[in-house]
Amino acid sequence: PMFKSLYEVKAKYTILIFWAADCGHCQKEVPKLHENLKTLTGKVDVKVYAVQTKEELFDSWKKFIVDNKLTNFINVFDPIHLNNLKEKFDIYSTPVIYILDKDKKIKAKRLDSEQVVNMIQTLENIEKNAAK
């Protein structure tokens, strides 16, 4: 689909990541996040909504997605800033990673790729303990 709204994403947790294909830090963090999330596969319902922040990088963005096999991410590109996500989430540098719950409420923000899995496991433990 051409348009994929953040609010259409059905998952217990949505990892929202803002990144740019020419950002050296992103080039390390995004594949690391992808790799780390494999530990949650089949255990926790997590989807990744990855927002490319720079309109002039369309070709390098597409190539990066293919080269790093990020096909299970929801990769979005908003060159005309239809949704103002950068403004809503106060993005002034990249990468920036948020964890949202099923209602898209922010559960954690400005994490690095190493912290995401631990944070989701923590949120799961909090929920399990609250259910006791």
Side-chain angles (χ1 to χ4, degrees), residues 49-108:
Y49 191 86
V51 182
Q52 165 66 267
T53 58
K54 291 187 178 170
E55 51 272 11
E56 69 276 14
L57 298 174
F58 188 72
D59 292 330
S60 52
W61 169 70
K62 282 194 308 193
K63 182 180 184 322
F64 190 87
I65 289 167
V66 171
D67 290 352
N68 290 280
K69 300 179 176 60
L70 306 176
T71 50
N72 56 343
F73 282 15
I74 299 162
N75 293 294
V76 298
F77 184 83
D78 184 19
I80 52 176
H81 306 293
L82 272 178
N83 55 21
N84 287 329
L85 281 179
K86 274 174 74 172
E87 290 74 24
K88 283 182 194 151
F89 286 91
D90 191 27
I91 305 307
Y92 48 83
S93 64
T94 53
V96 179
I97 304 174
Y98 284 85
I99 297 176
L100 311 178
D101 70 8
K102 64 180 177 22
D103 301 315
K104 306 298 174 267
K105 290 192 183 75
I106 296 170
K107 289 305 202 182

Side-chain angles (χ1 to χ4, degrees), residues 26 28 36 38 83 91 128:
C26 301
K28 290 189 195 80
N36 292 346
K38 288 179 180 170
N83 55 21
I91 305 307
K128 276 184 197 123

Side-chain angles (χ1 to χ4, degrees), residues 25 48 89 124:
H25 195 49
V48 178
F89 286 91
E124 285 290 280

